[in-house]
Amino acid sequence: MHWGDYGWGWGMGFGWAFMVLFWIIVIAVIVFIVKAVTGGEKSRREEESAVDILKKRYARGEISKEDFDRMRDDLSKK
């Protein structure tokens, strides 16, 4: 019997699949860690100030110039 030649196809036949799976898991863990450390997408949204949101609403026409001025003044008082 020749046990070293992997005659049944289980030895080296699936070795490449496990290696690919291993590297996918390693890369996924690295991406997860980087996103957790940098804050991902949430930190960018949270950095937007109230005045920035107010400016966007005014630019879209959701509020008038008077409303914009009044709200901006209210925000600057706080």
Side-chain angles (χ1 to χ4, degrees):
M1 289 194 148
H2 299 287
W3 293 100
D5 64 358
Y6 302 103
W8 294 311
W10 289 98
M12 294 301 289
F14 288 107
W16 64 270
F18 290 118
M19 183 60 74
V20 170
L21 181 63
F22 169 77
W23 283 112
I24 289 173
I25 291 171
V26 167
I27 292 170
V29 167
I30 290 171
V31 168
F32 177 77
I33 291 171
V34 168
K35 281 191 171 191
V37 169
T38 61
E41 198 64 30
K42 283 185 178 181
S43 66
R44 292 182 191 149
R45 289 186 198 143
E46 291 173 358
E47 290 176 5
E48 191 173 37
S49 70
V51 175
D52 292 334
I53 295 170
L54 193 60
K55 288 177 183 177
K56 288 180 182 180
R57 289 186 63 200
Y58 178 62
R60 287 191 297 252
E62 294 177 5
I63 58 175
S64 67
K65 173 72 171 149
E66 294 80 22
D67 291 336
F68 173 79
D69 291 337
R70 181 179 48 79
M71 291 179 193
R72 186 188 60 210
D73 292 341
D74 288 345
L75 290 171
S76 66
K77 290 178 186 177
K78 293 181 181 182

